[in-house]
Amino acid sequence: MSERIVGYKPLHRAFHWLVALLVLATIPVGVTMVSEDISRSVQDALFIFHKNVGVVILLLMLARLAYRLVNPPPPLPDSVPRWQASVAHATHWLLYLLVFVMAISGYIRVVAGGFPLEVFDAIGVPRLAPRSDELAETAKGIHFYVRFALVVLILMHVGAALFHAIVKRDGVFSSMVTGRPRA
């Protein structure tokens, strides 16, 4: 860890906030779209949104991971205890993993289930999984259960960010919001 810490680069921040916005949008849509209390036309629109945004999230995450591997994020300030830095590091990688698991399992559920991916089908993107009811059901189960762990990790991440913003005021939060160097 270093004494003078730089903020996150603009592309780091853009990937973070865009993926966060899309993931946070897909969670309530995913819950609502399977409700029996909404009209079929609303349900269809929500399914189309959820499926297609899920593929966008997957593509953004692939780009984000590649960018992160080439451009590591700035280290945490020295004031962050080593155990907290380790937890933060593990949480970030688990978030990446679970977002990938959700996007891939959702994609496989749709494609193996024989459902359309309207936007991607229209531009001729090939399907990367075979049609299989068994595979679709397995992916559906993974997608269903992993969402709980993802929501817990998101809440932990948001809680830690707010702790740094409100309690610690150590620049960790502001470096992701503004990109300004941490003090």
Side-chain angles (χ1 to χ4, degrees):
M1 297 194 199
S2 71
E3 202 57 39
R4 174 136 173 93
I5 313 267
V6 297
Y8 284 89
K9 293 179 180 179
L11 202 49
H12 273 290
R13 294 192 324 273
F15 279 133
H16 175 273
W17 292 110
L18 185 54
V19 169
L21 176 68
L22 293 175
V23 167
L24 291 176
T26 60
I27 293 170
V29 168
V31 171
T32 305
M33 72 188 193
V34 295
S35 171
E36 295 177 9
D37 298 333
I38 60 172
S39 72
R40 186 62 193 180
S41 62
V42 170
Q43 195 175 40
D44 288 345
L46 294 176
F47 269 106
I48 290 168
F49 174 84
H50 190 80
K51 293 182 300 180
N52 288 281
V53 169
V55 176
V56 170
I57 290 170
L58 177 57
L59 296 173
L60 284 170
M61 285 298 294
L62 289 168
R64 182 180 183 183
L65 178 61
Y67 183 79
R68 181 182 174 131
L69 292 174
V70 174
N71 299 282
L76 292 168
D78 291 336
S79 61
V80 175
R82 189 172 301 278
W83 71 268
Q84 281 182 4
S86 295
V87 169
H89 185 74
T91 300
H92 280 103
W93 285 110
L94 279 172
L95 279 167
Y96 272 68
L97 175 67
L98 294 185
V99 170
F100 273 118
V101 168
M102 289 298 288
I104 292 167
S105 65
Y107 175 84
I108 292 171
R109 162 66 175 128
V110 169
V111 172
F115 301 104
L117 278 168
E118 293 76 7
V119 174
F120 297 93
D121 290 344
I123 60 174
V125 175
R127 292 173 167 250
L128 302 176
R131 171 77 175 91
S132 165
D133 290 336
E134 184 178 337
L135 181 59
E137 283 303 308
T138 299
K140 181 180 176 181
I142 291 168
H143 199 73
F144 177 83
Y145 289 108
V146 170
R147 72 180 172 161
F148 298 111
L150 179 59
V151 167
V152 168
L153 279 177
I154 289 170
L155 291 173
M156 286 175 55
H157 182 68
V158 169
L162 291 174
F163 174 74
H164 282 281
I166 297 167
V167 177
K168 298 282 281 188
R169 296 180 184 193
D170 57 5
V172 171
F173 180 79
S174 64
S175 69
M176 180 51 80
V177 174
T178 66
R180 279 186 255 146
R182 298 173 184 161

